[in-house]
Amino acid sequence: MNHEGTREPSVMSRAHLRDGPPAQARLVLADSHAILRLGVRSLLYCEPRFEIVEVADLDGLIEQAAGTPPPDVALIDVDLPPRGAAAALVALRAYPTVPIVWSYSSRLTPEVVYDAVRLGAAGVLRKDISAAGLVRSLHAIVKGEAPLCRDLTASLVARIQSLDRQAIARSQVSELSKREQEVLGLIAAGQSNKGIAADLRISQFTAKRHVQNILNKLGLHNRSEAAARFRSAVDEMSERIDPGASRTTA
């Protein structure tokens, strides 16, 4: 877990877990990999501040969270069985345990980090964090701070900004008429005015007029910008505008 050159986490302000830090903090380590749990336990063996509890899945985590006293902190693998950290974060909302998500670098994409924080994670850590960095982060958590590796902070900010741009683009596209939205979808699909006219059974003149109206309404200069705006407004998981849904003439 100690990789040289790994960036250590910074901490963000968060409400304290207790009125004062406990003499000993209960940490539930929720990870399906026994060897990793053993490694963390061994690492914290000389840290009397922490009482370690190990679980391998969501049921074990909830059982511990519902216990008396409940764990102060849960360190949750992003792929915790059976449904991942997202399900664990939602389930832990009913308990006072503070959740921290962690995983390997390849799994901590901007989307994963954003979703974890949005669902209630107090912080996100990499599993390749150094031993000293992990200890510092855990001490910070029980003081009411929220650890987040610096590069993950940057990716989180980038994701939020991307979502803001998508929201703006979606709002702008929604203000277009239904026919203009159909035309915009066909522009994004690479259709020429002739192709748009054939697909929607309208004249090329009408197709050209729709394209110009779209550019004017969106404040764009060319078809490439229009296609990019459409792609920003409609992500892969949402219901896309169906250019062929309407076949009536304009």
Side-chain angles (χ1 to χ4, degrees), residues 83-163:
R83 298 189 304 276
L89 291 168
V90 172
L92 284 180
R93 290 173 179 173
Y95 305 99
T97 300
V98 174
I100 303 295
V101 170
W102 77 334
S103 188
Y104 296 104
S105 299
S106 60
R107 289 287 287 115
L108 294 179
T109 64
E111 293 76 17
V112 168
V113 174
Y114 173 80
D115 286 343
V117 174
R118 179 177 61 85
L119 291 173
V124 181
L125 297 174
R126 296 186 185 280
K127 286 185 177 179
D128 56 4
I129 189 173
S130 70
L134 178 60
V135 171
R136 280 197 301 272
S137 295
L138 292 176
H139 278 292
I141 292 165
V142 298
K143 291 178 181 177
E145 298 171 337
L148 189 65
C149 294
R150 291 182 179 87
D151 54 339
L152 295 182
T153 302
S155 69
L156 177 61
V157 171
R159 177 60 176 165
I160 293 172
Q161 292 174 339
S162 174
L163 290 173

Side-chain angles (χ1 to χ4, degrees), residues 54-72:
E54 301 177 30
V55 299
D57 55 26
L58 178 58
D59 288 342
L61 175 60
I62 297 306
E63 180 180 353
Q64 290 297 322
T68 303
D72 297 286

Side-chain angles (χ1 to χ4, degrees), residues 35 53 58 80 147 161 173 230 236:
I35 189 67
V53 179
L58 178 58
L80 182 71
Q161 292 174 339
V173 170
F230 178 84
E236 294 180 359

Side-chain angles (χ1 to χ4, degrees), residues 231-248:
R231 286 189 287 269
S232 293
V234 186
D235 61 42
E236 294 180 359
M237 298 304 295
S238 66
E239 181 179 357
R240 291 180 178 273
I241 299 167
D242 180 7
S246 174
R247 295 296 181 180
T248 58

Side-chain angles (χ1 to χ4, degrees), residues 150-183:
R150 291 182 179 87
D151 54 339
L152 295 182
T153 302
S155 69
L156 177 61
V157 171
R159 177 60 176 165
I160 293 172
Q161 292 174 339
S162 174
L163 290 173
D164 286 343
R165 288 192 295 269
Q166 287 181 359
I168 293 171
R170 191 173 295 113
S171 175
Q172 292 174 332
V173 170
S174 70
E175 293 177 358
L176 300 175
S177 69
K178 182 178 179 180
R179 175 63 89 197
E180 288 169 342
Q181 290 180 25
E182 293 172 340
V183 171

